[in-house]
Amino acid sequence: MTHPNTVLIGVPGGRAVLDTPALLIDLPALERNIAAMAAFARDRGVALRPHAKTHKSVEIARRQAVAGAVGICCATLGEAEVMVAGGIAGVLVTSPLVTPSKIARLIALNQRQTEGLMVCVDHPENVRALAEAAAGSGKPLEVIVDFSAGHNRTGCATPEALSDLVDLVRAAPALRFVGIQSYSGNLQHIPTRQARSEAAARQIEILRGIVDGLRSRGIDVPIVTGVGTGTFDLDPAAGVYTELQVGSYVFMDVDYLNALRDGRNGPPFETALFVQAAVVSLHAPSHVTIDGGLKCFATDGPKPEIVRGAPAGSLYQFSGDEHGRVLPPEGGTLGLRLGDRLEMVTPHCDPTVNLHDVYHVVDGDRLIALWPVDARGRR
Ligand SMILES: Cc1ncc(COP(=O)(O)O)c(C=O)c1O
């Protein structure tokens, strides 16, 4: 199906007349973010395996690889299938895959992937099931043992449980133990840099103890993976992680812009993701209605922030599935007409992306390309 905005690609001023709502990527900002994180990792001597859960895009994963990433992380097997099909090497599935259908798909993917497919585990039953399936396939499966790291979502709850699981993986002839994952998702959005830094330091000392404990038993731990955008420059300093799994830095959303601004002269990465919507109703003097609502923006974060097309201080409010309200700044007026376009920073980038089929890649006033959100909805 041809997208209605295809005809605008390359047309001067095309950005101002897009069919809306449209998910926008500011290409120069995206490229600067990709380059900045790659340079940071290089300088600190850590590898970069960015998380594709943020963008679900083969094109962006390729650009991250060209900038120096060693691979890509995926939250779902469906994302991993899309990345492997797109030719991306070094795919790590950061969540456990436990049901028989998922294990069968994982093993089939392991047969297809020639370079470095890895999966996380956190339970002995899962290790046994993977070991059996991998043995039947004739190709070993690389396994990372996950530590809960205070996040309490997945991962072994204690260092002892993790150590036992490492032994179980190492005892399975069809599995290869390649490292530890420790992702403290609960720390990433702590709003002050000082508090985030202290919490990250405490967590890292636990991780250091785990890794040192394994190494003192003669176990090789080539990969220690974790780290999100909120602690990207806090965790590497401790010298425990061998790689960063940062995701949101490519786009930056309202929440991260606020959290990462603290303690610096500004956020270290730029906003590269926006939603453009149009005014579709002027039915009341108090506000206008635009064509971007609950099916356009994630609702688990702060409100979308209007950055273009309305007076500074105008506020967004959700107004149903397909609509939002724009309220004027205190004591001011909007002065908007039907069809006027507004652009907003997204509240939480990952789930917002998953609500859209395509990225509108823009540079200045032009639409440069449409990129599919390849792994949208893929589980
Ligand atoms: C396991 C894991 N690693 C890395 C990330 C990336 O984090 P961020 O988007 O905060 O950079 C996430 C995000 O939820 C994650 O779940």
Side-chain angles (χ1 to χ4, degrees):
M1 196 185 76
T2 313
H3 192 280
N5 287 324
T6 308
V7 292
L8 293 173
I9 294 173
V11 175
R15 177 175 181 166
V17 290
L18 294 173
D19 193 76
T20 54
L23 185 67
L24 309 188
I25 289 181
D26 179 329
L27 185 59
L30 175 83
E31 284 175 338
R32 285 192 291 270
N33 288 345
I34 290 174
M37 188 63 91
F40 173 84
R42 247 191 323 275
D43 286 354
R44 295 298 170 98
V46 286
L48 182 59
R49 196 184 309 273
H51 216 304
K53 74 191 282 285
T54 305
H55 54 68
K56 292 175 173 282
S57 157
V58 172
E59 177 65 36
I60 297 177
R62 273 197 207 117
R63 285 166 187 253
Q64 290 173 315
V66 168
V70 295
I72 203 90
C73 291
C74 294
T76 70
L77 179 58
E79 286 174 5
E81 288 167 337
V82 166
M83 292 298 149
V84 169
I88 305 297
V91 174
L92 164 61
V93 183
T94 58
S95 318
L97 302 173
V98 306
T99 55
S101 66
K102 286 282 197 299
I103 292 175
R105 280 169 55 197
L106 174 70
I107 295 300
L109 189 63
N110 194 40
Q111 306 279 35
R112 287 203 294 282
Q113 170 71 304
T114 46
E115 275 184 84
L117 177 71
M118 296 173 279
V119 67
C120 283
V121 297
D122 70 359
H123 197 278
E125 265 177 41
N126 187 217
V127 170
R128 286 186 205 103
L130 291 177
E132 198 182 313
S137 78
K139 182 177 179 189
L141 179 66
E142 296 194 339
V143 168
I144 298 261
V145 177
D146 189 16
F147 181 59
S148 161
H151 193 193
N152 290 333
R153 179 176 66 188
T154 61
C156 300
T158 63
E160 295 72 28
L162 180 134
S163 181
D164 290 348
L165 204 60
V166 169
D167 289 342
L168 197 64
V169 171
R170 294 179 76 241
L175 302 182
R176 298 275 177 277
F177 169 71
V178 288
I180 303 291
Q181 171 175 273
S182 177
Y183 172 67
S184 297
N186 53 319
L187 308 184
Q188 301 305 316
H189 300 264
I190 294 177
T192 67
R193 183 166 164 77
Q194 181 64 26
R196 205 163 58 246
S197 172
E198 286 166 11
R202 279 193 296 275
Q203 199 55 52
I204 253 186
E205 288 318 306
I206 299 173
L207 181 62
R208 189 194 302 282
I210 290 173
V211 176
D212 286 353
L214 292 173
R215 288 183 178 146
S216 71
R217 290 206 285 127
I219 299 171
D220 189 22
V221 189
I223 295 178
V224 182
T225 186
V227 185
T229 300
T231 57
F232 83 98
D233 60 343
L234 303 174
D235 290 335
V240 178
Y241 283 102
T242 64
E243 61 177 50
L244 315 180
Q245 294 185 349
V246 285
S248 302
Y249 77 98
V250 284
F251 291 152
M252 297 298 285
D253 51 31
V254 173
D255 196 46
Y256 257 142
L257 283 164
N258 292 335
L260 267 64
R261 198 172 273 131
D262 179 72
R264 295 184 176 90
N265 288 330
F269 304 101
E270 300 172 49
T271 313
L273 188 76
F274 302 91
V275 165
Q276 187 187 98
V279 177
V280 295
S281 178
L282 301 170
H283 72 282
S286 57
H287 62 270
V288 304
T289 296
I290 60 173
D291 59 356
L294 299 167
K295 291 181 178 168
C296 202
F297 297 103
T299 55
D300 65 326
K303 299 273 169 56
E305 254 177 30
I306 303 167
V307 285
R308 278 184 281 279
S314 302
L315 293 177
Y316 175 94
Q317 277 181 355
F318 285 104
S319 184
D321 287 7
E322 302 294 356
H323 299 107
R325 274 189 201 133
V326 177
L327 281 70
E330 186 91 12
T333 53
L334 286 169
L336 292 172
R337 292 171 310 172
L338 281 186
D340 280 354
R341 309 306 164 93
L342 283 76
E343 289 182 4
M344 284 146 281
V345 183
T346 63
H348 182 182
C349 52
D350 307 27
T352 297
V353 165
N354 198 47
L355 296 169
H356 297 263
D357 288 327
V358 291
Y359 290 111
H360 293 70
V361 185
V362 297
D363 186 351
D365 73 347
R366 280 183 204 230
L367 175 66
I368 303 294
L370 296 175
W371 293 346
V373 182
D374 303 284
R376 178 184 180 195
R378 300 286 290 268
R379 303 290 203 263

